[in-house]
Amino acid sequence: MKIRIKFAKEGNMKFIGHLDVMRYFQKVMRKADVDIRYSEGFSPHQIMSFAAPLGVGITSRGEYVDIEVISTDSSKEMLRRMNEVAVEGIEFLNYRKLPDTAASAMSLVAAADYTVTFREGKEPEDWEAFAAGLAEFARGEQILVMKQTKKGEKETDIRPMIYSLTVDGQAVHMKIATGSAANLKPDVVIRAYMDSVGLALEEFALLVHRDEVYGSRGNKDQVELVALDQFGGDIE
């Protein structure tokens, strides 16, 4: 049985790297008595895969991990048990059964929502002008940046990877490409704009929060972005 779990990673847990998060989740499965399936062979391991691991320093309430279980209680009960053993900064939000034919979250990832704010004292002096210019910049026909590749730096147009960008108060909300096919980091968008208007982005000036991760559904002519937990349903 395939299960997709949605969780939040906040507070001091944002400083914990992905490999340590994986090890921690393995312990959670044991402590919460999740009847998780193990691989076969000489060194069996829990069958578990994460959708789009966060970078260190980023918080989120839209993280996903897929597991396989032999048996399970209701979604409500499993969430209770996992949250009961979770450390501060980790909260389990959804526990949903997937169809047997469902693709893994990792292979589905196509986009993500982010909220970006500036640390106090690091924000641009004229915020209204900055916000208006950023929104206009994101609607431009082309946004060229230098991106690091395996063969060195390459000039890349990131405009097709920005699906939406709005400013609400002091927060910048953006939906951008995420995943193996195309991947864009929110700080790259902010930096590209600031470079275009002659502003410098200070180190550690941004606070980045991931709100949701989406998978693609449909065909090449009509692609629909769907939150990853919407591919499954709650267990009563």
PDB file of all heavy atoms in Angstrom, residues 134-156:
ATOM      1  N   LEU A 134       9.639  44.794  -9.105  1.00  0.00           N
ATOM      2  CA  LEU A 134       9.817  43.342  -9.122  1.00  0.00           C
ATOM      3  C   LEU A 134       8.673  42.652  -9.857  1.00  0.00           C
ATOM      4  O   LEU A 134       8.904  41.757 -10.678  1.00  0.00           O
ATOM      5  CB  LEU A 134       9.913  42.812  -7.685  1.00  0.00           C
ATOM      6  CG  LEU A 134       9.973  41.292  -7.526  1.00  0.00           C
ATOM      7  CD1 LEU A 134      11.191  40.717  -8.235  1.00  0.00           C
ATOM      8  CD2 LEU A 134       9.995  40.916  -6.040  1.00  0.00           C
ATOM      9  N   ALA A 135       7.444  43.068  -9.567  1.00  0.00           N
ATOM     10  CA  ALA A 135       6.281  42.470 -10.221  1.00  0.00           C
ATOM     11  C   ALA A 135       6.336  42.695 -11.733  1.00  0.00           C
ATOM     12  O   ALA A 135       6.029  41.800 -12.522  1.00  0.00           O
ATOM     13  CB  ALA A 135       4.999  43.043  -9.638  1.00  0.00           C
ATOM     14  N   GLU A 136       6.745  43.896 -12.133  1.00  0.00           N
ATOM     15  CA  GLU A 136       6.855  44.211 -13.567  1.00  0.00           C
ATOM     16  C   GLU A 136       7.989  43.415 -14.202  1.00  0.00           C
ATOM     17  O   GLU A 136       7.858  42.894 -15.318  1.00  0.00           O
ATOM     18  CB  GLU A 136       7.101  45.716 -13.740  1.00  0.00           C
ATOM     19  CG  GLU A 136       7.153  46.173 -15.192  1.00  0.00           C
ATOM     20  CD  GLU A 136       5.820  46.006 -15.914  1.00  0.00           C
ATOM     21  OE1 GLU A 136       4.765  46.031 -15.248  1.00  0.00           O
ATOM     22  OE2 GLU A 136       5.854  45.819 -17.151  1.00  0.00           O
ATOM     23  N   PHE A 137       9.093  43.308 -13.495  1.00  0.00           N
ATOM     24  CA  PHE A 137      10.257  42.560 -13.974  1.00  0.00           C
ATOM     25  C   PHE A 137       9.894  41.099 -14.260  1.00  0.00           C
ATOM     26  O   PHE A 137      10.302  40.527 -15.269  1.00  0.00           O
ATOM     27  CB  PHE A 137      11.355  42.639 -12.904  1.00  0.00           C
ATOM     28  CG  PHE A 137      12.578  41.813 -13.188  1.00  0.00           C
ATOM     29  CD1 PHE A 137      13.527  42.237 -14.105  1.00  0.00           C
ATOM     30  CD2 PHE A 137      12.794  40.617 -12.504  1.00  0.00           C
ATOM     31  CE1 PHE A 137      14.674  41.482 -14.356  1.00  0.00           C
ATOM     32  CE2 PHE A 137      13.933  39.856 -12.748  1.00  0.00           C
ATOM     33  CZ  PHE A 137      14.871  40.287 -13.675  1.00  0.00           C
ATOM     34  N   ALA A 138       9.098  40.495 -13.359  1.00  0.00           N
ATOM     35  CA  ALA A 138       8.723  39.081 -13.500  1.00  0.00           C
ATOM     36  C   ALA A 138       7.794  38.839 -14.682  1.00  0.00           C
ATOM     37  O   ALA A 138       7.644  37.701 -15.133  1.00  0.00           O
ATOM     38  CB  ALA A 138       8.069  38.582 -12.212  1.00  0.00           C
ATOM     39  N   ARG A 139       7.165  39.907 -15.190  1.00  0.00           N
ATOM     40  CA  ARG A 139       6.270  39.768 -16.340  1.00  0.00           C
ATOM     41  C   ARG A 139       6.998  40.012 -17.666  1.00  0.00           C
ATOM     42  O   ARG A 139       6.391  39.952 -18.734  1.00  0.00           O
ATOM     43  CB  ARG A 139       5.089  40.751 -16.220  1.00  0.00           C
ATOM     44  CG  ARG A 139       4.110  40.394 -15.102  1.00  0.00           C
ATOM     45  CD  ARG A 139       2.839  41.210 -15.213  1.00  0.00           C
ATOM     46  NE  ARG A 139       3.073  42.630 -14.921  1.00  0.00           N
ATOM     47  CZ  ARG A 139       2.931  43.171 -13.717  1.00  0.00           C
ATOM     48  NH1 ARG A 139       2.545  42.426 -12.694  1.00  0.00           N
ATOM     49  NH2 ARG A 139       3.154  44.458 -13.527  1.00  0.00           N
ATOM     50  N   GLY A 140       8.280  40.302 -17.586  1.00  0.00           N
ATOM     51  CA  GLY A 140       9.050  40.583 -18.796  1.00  0.00           C
ATOM     52  C   GLY A 140       9.126  39.378 -19.723  1.00  0.00           C
ATOM     53  O   GLY A 140       8.837  38.240 -19.341  1.00  0.00           O
ATOM     54  N   GLU A 141       9.520  39.619 -20.958  1.00  0.00           N
ATOM     55  CA  GLU A 141       9.591  38.544 -21.948  1.00  0.00           C
ATOM     56  C   GLU A 141      10.773  37.620 -21.710  1.00  0.00           C
ATOM     57  O   GLU A 141      10.718  36.433 -22.028  1.00  0.00           O
ATOM     58  CB  GLU A 141       9.683  39.141 -23.355  1.00  0.00           C
ATOM     59  CG  GLU A 141       8.413  39.849 -23.811  1.00  0.00           C
ATOM     60  CD  GLU A 141       8.513  40.316 -25.251  1.00  0.00           C
ATOM     61  OE1 GLU A 141       9.535  40.014 -25.900  1.00  0.00           O
ATOM     62  OE2 GLU A 141       7.567  40.963 -25.717  1.00  0.00           O
ATOM     63  N   GLN A 142      11.853  38.145 -21.138  1.00  0.00           N
ATOM     64  CA  GLN A 142      13.071  37.350 -20.964  1.00  0.00           C
ATOM     65  C   GLN A 142      13.824  37.823 -19.731  1.00  0.00           C
ATOM     66  O   GLN A 142      13.932  39.015 -19.468  1.00  0.00           O
ATOM     67  CB  GLN A 142      13.955  37.481 -22.210  1.00  0.00           C
ATOM     68  CG  GLN A 142      15.120  36.522 -22.276  1.00  0.00           C
ATOM     69  CD  GLN A 142      15.924  36.693 -23.553  1.00  0.00           C
ATOM     70  OE1 GLN A 142      16.411  37.783 -23.851  1.00  0.00           O
ATOM     71  NE2 GLN A 142      16.074  35.618 -24.327  1.00  0.00           N
ATOM     72  N   ILE A 143      14.325  36.860 -18.946  1.00  0.00           N
ATOM     73  CA  ILE A 143      15.143  37.179 -17.777  1.00  0.00           C
ATOM     74  C   ILE A 143      16.386  36.290 -17.843  1.00  0.00           C
ATOM     75  O   ILE A 143      16.319  35.086 -17.573  1.00  0.00           O
ATOM     76  CB  ILE A 143      14.397  36.936 -16.451  1.00  0.00           C
ATOM     77  CG1 ILE A 143      13.120  37.781 -16.387  1.00  0.00           C
ATOM     78  CG2 ILE A 143      15.303  37.260 -15.262  1.00  0.00           C
ATOM     79  CD1 ILE A 143      12.250  37.500 -15.189  1.00  0.00           C
ATOM     80  N   LEU A 144      17.495  36.861 -18.225  1.00  0.00           N
ATOM     81  CA  LEU A 144      18.722  36.096 -18.401  1.00  0.00           C
ATOM     82  C   LEU A 144      19.579  36.153 -17.147  1.00  0.00           C
ATOM     83  O   LEU A 144      19.833  37.231 -16.596  1.00  0.00           O
ATOM     84  CB  LEU A 144      19.509  36.632 -19.595  1.00  0.00           C
ATOM     85  CG  LEU A 144      18.819  36.517 -20.960  1.00  0.00           C
ATOM     86  CD1 LEU A 144      19.673  37.185 -22.035  1.00  0.00           C
ATOM     87  CD2 LEU A 144      18.568  35.049 -21.313  1.00  0.00           C
ATOM     88  N   VAL A 145      20.015  34.981 -16.680  1.00  0.00           N
ATOM     89  CA  VAL A 145      20.923  34.898 -15.534  1.00  0.00           C
ATOM     90  C   VAL A 145      22.010  33.881 -15.867  1.00  0.00           C
ATOM     91  O   VAL A 145      21.850  33.027 -16.742  1.00  0.00           O
ATOM     92  CB  VAL A 145      20.196  34.462 -14.242  1.00  0.00           C
ATOM     93  CG1 VAL A 145      19.090  35.438 -13.887  1.00  0.00           C
ATOM     94  CG2 VAL A 145      19.654  33.042 -14.364  1.00  0.00           C
ATOM     95  N   MET A 146      23.110  33.958 -15.147  1.00  0.00           N
ATOM     96  CA  MET A 146      24.176  32.973 -15.281  1.00  0.00           C
ATOM     97  C   MET A 146      23.919  31.858 -14.274  1.00  0.00           C
ATOM     98  O   MET A 146      23.862  32.104 -13.073  1.00  0.00           O
ATOM     99  CB  MET A 146      25.543  33.607 -15.041  1.00  0.00           C
ATOM    100  CG  MET A 146      25.900  34.702 -16.040  1.00  0.00           C
ATOM    101  SD  MET A 146      25.929  34.120 -17.763  1.00  0.00           S
ATOM    102  CE  MET A 146      27.295  32.945 -17.689  1.00  0.00           C
ATOM    103  N   LYS A 147      23.737  30.641 -14.796  1.00  0.00           N
ATOM    104  CA  LYS A 147      23.505  29.491 -13.924  1.00  0.00           C
ATOM    105  C   LYS A 147      24.670  28.515 -14.036  1.00  0.00           C
ATOM    106  O   LYS A 147      25.216  28.305 -15.113  1.00  0.00           O
ATOM    107  CB  LYS A 147      22.195  28.778 -14.291  1.00  0.00           C
ATOM    108  CG  LYS A 147      20.944  29.579 -13.973  1.00  0.00           C
ATOM    109  CD  LYS A 147      19.686  28.729 -14.071  1.00  0.00           C
ATOM    110  CE  LYS A 147      19.561  27.794 -12.902  1.00  0.00           C
ATOM    111  NZ  LYS A 147      18.300  27.012 -12.919  1.00  0.00           N
ATOM    112  N   GLN A 148      25.020  27.938 -12.872  1.00  0.00           N
ATOM    113  CA  GLN A 148      26.114  26.983 -12.843  1.00  0.00           C
ATOM    114  C   GLN A 148      25.637  25.624 -13.336  1.00  0.00           C
ATOM    115  O   GLN A 148      24.635  25.092 -12.869  1.00  0.00           O
ATOM    116  CB  GLN A 148      26.653  26.855 -11.408  1.00  0.00           C
ATOM    117  CG  GLN A 148      27.925  26.045 -11.292  1.00  0.00           C
ATOM    118  CD  GLN A 148      29.118  26.742 -11.940  1.00  0.00           C
ATOM    119  OE1 GLN A 148      29.262  27.957 -11.871  1.00  0.00           O
ATOM    120  NE2 GLN A 148      29.974  25.954 -12.577  1.00  0.00           N
ATOM    121  N   THR A 149      26.333  25.038 -14.305  1.00  0.00           N
ATOM    122  CA  THR A 149      26.031  23.707 -14.812  1.00  0.00           C
ATOM    123  C   THR A 149      27.263  22.817 -14.627  1.00  0.00           C
ATOM    124  O   THR A 149      28.321  23.281 -14.172  1.00  0.00           O
ATOM    125  CB  THR A 149      25.651  23.740 -16.304  1.00  0.00           C
ATOM    126  OG1 THR A 149      26.797  24.095 -17.076  1.00  0.00           O
ATOM    127  CG2 THR A 149      24.547  24.758 -16.560  1.00  0.00           C
ATOM    128  N   LYS A 150      27.123  21.542 -15.009  1.00  0.00           N
ATOM    129  CA  LYS A 150      28.257  20.622 -14.888  1.00  0.00           C
ATOM    130  C   LYS A 150      29.419  21.038 -15.785  1.00  0.00           C
ATOM    131  O   LYS A 150      30.569  20.695 -15.524  1.00  0.00           O
ATOM    132  CB  LYS A 150      27.803  19.205 -15.242  1.00  0.00           C
ATOM    133  CG  LYS A 150      26.812  18.612 -14.251  1.00  0.00           C
ATOM    134  CD  LYS A 150      26.400  17.211 -14.656  1.00  0.00           C
ATOM    135  CE  LYS A 150      25.408  16.623 -13.657  1.00  0.00           C
ATOM    136  NZ  LYS A 150      24.972  15.245 -14.048  1.00  0.00           N
ATOM    137  N   LYS A 151      29.101  21.778 -16.849  1.00  0.00           N
ATOM    138  CA  LYS A 151      30.134  22.202 -17.798  1.00  0.00           C
ATOM    139  C   LYS A 151      30.596  23.638 -17.548  1.00  0.00           C
ATOM    140  O   LYS A 151      31.319  24.216 -18.348  1.00  0.00           O
ATOM    141  CB  LYS A 151      29.610  22.067 -19.225  1.00  0.00           C
ATOM    142  CG  LYS A 151      29.281  20.628 -19.623  1.00  0.00           C
ATOM    143  CD  LYS A 151      28.797  20.552 -21.062  1.00  0.00           C
ATOM    144  CE  LYS A 151      28.479  19.118 -21.456  1.00  0.00           C
ATOM    145  NZ  LYS A 151      27.991  19.015 -22.859  1.00  0.00           N
ATOM    146  N   GLY A 152      30.147  24.220 -16.448  1.00  0.00           N
ATOM    147  CA  GLY A 152      30.522  25.592 -16.139  1.00  0.00           C
ATOM    148  C   GLY A 152      29.315  26.515 -16.147  1.00  0.00           C
ATOM    149  O   GLY A 152      28.166  26.059 -16.117  1.00  0.00           O
ATOM    150  N   GLU A 153      29.545  27.814 -16.173  1.00  0.00           N
ATOM    151  CA  GLU A 153      28.453  28.775 -16.167  1.00  0.00           C
ATOM    152  C   GLU A 153      27.798  28.879 -17.541  1.00  0.00           C
ATOM    153  O   GLU A 153      28.477  28.820 -18.567  1.00  0.00           O
ATOM    154  CB  GLU A 153      28.962  30.158 -15.727  1.00  0.00           C
ATOM    155  CG  GLU A 153      29.218  30.256 -14.228  1.00  0.00           C
ATOM    156  CD  GLU A 153      29.416  31.686 -13.782  1.00  0.00           C
ATOM    157  OE1 GLU A 153      29.865  32.501 -14.600  1.00  0.00           O
ATOM    158  OE2 GLU A 153      29.110  31.995 -12.625  1.00  0.00           O
ATOM    159  N   LYS A 154      26.482  29.058 -17.526  1.00  0.00           N
ATOM    160  CA  LYS A 154      25.734  29.165 -18.776  1.00  0.00           C
ATOM    161  C   LYS A 154      24.629  30.197 -18.616  1.00  0.00           C
ATOM    162  O   LYS A 154      23.940  30.231 -17.598  1.00  0.00           O
ATOM    163  CB  LYS A 154      25.127  27.804 -19.140  1.00  0.00           C
ATOM    164  CG  LYS A 154      24.291  27.808 -20.407  1.00  0.00           C
ATOM    165  CD  LYS A 154      23.666  26.449 -20.648  1.00  0.00           C
ATOM    166  CE  LYS A 154      22.770  26.460 -21.875  1.00  0.00           C
ATOM    167  NZ  LYS A 154      22.128  25.129 -22.092  1.00  0.00           N
ATOM    168  N   GLU A 155      24.466  31.043 -19.627  1.00  0.00           N
ATOM    169  CA  GLU A 155      23.396  32.031 -19.583  1.00  0.00           C
ATOM    170  C   GLU A 155      22.058  31.336 -19.836  1.00  0.00           C
ATOM    171  O   GLU A 155      21.893  30.622 -20.822  1.00  0.00           O
ATOM    172  CB  GLU A 155      23.625  33.121 -20.629  1.00  0.00           C
ATOM    173  CG  GLU A 155      22.712  34.325 -20.448  1.00  0.00           C
ATOM    174  CD  GLU A 155      23.069  35.464 -21.383  1.00  0.00           C
ATOM    175  OE1 GLU A 155      23.122  35.224 -22.605  1.00  0.00           O
ATOM    176  OE2 GLU A 155      23.300  36.580 -20.893  1.00  0.00           O
ATOM    177  N   THR A 156      21.106  31.542 -18.910  1.00  0.00           N
ATOM    178  CA  THR A 156      19.818  30.848 -18.971  1.00  0.00           C
ATOM    179  C   THR A 156      18.680  31.843 -18.836  1.00  0.00           C
ATOM    180  O   THR A 156      18.755  32.776 -18.031  1.00  0.00           O
ATOM    181  CB  THR A 156      19.715  29.811 -17.830  1.00  0.00           C
ATOM    182  OG1 THR A 156      20.818  28.895 -17.923  1.00  0.00           O
ATOM    183  CG2 THR A 156      18.409  29.041 -17.914  1.00  0.00           C
TER     184      THR A 156
END
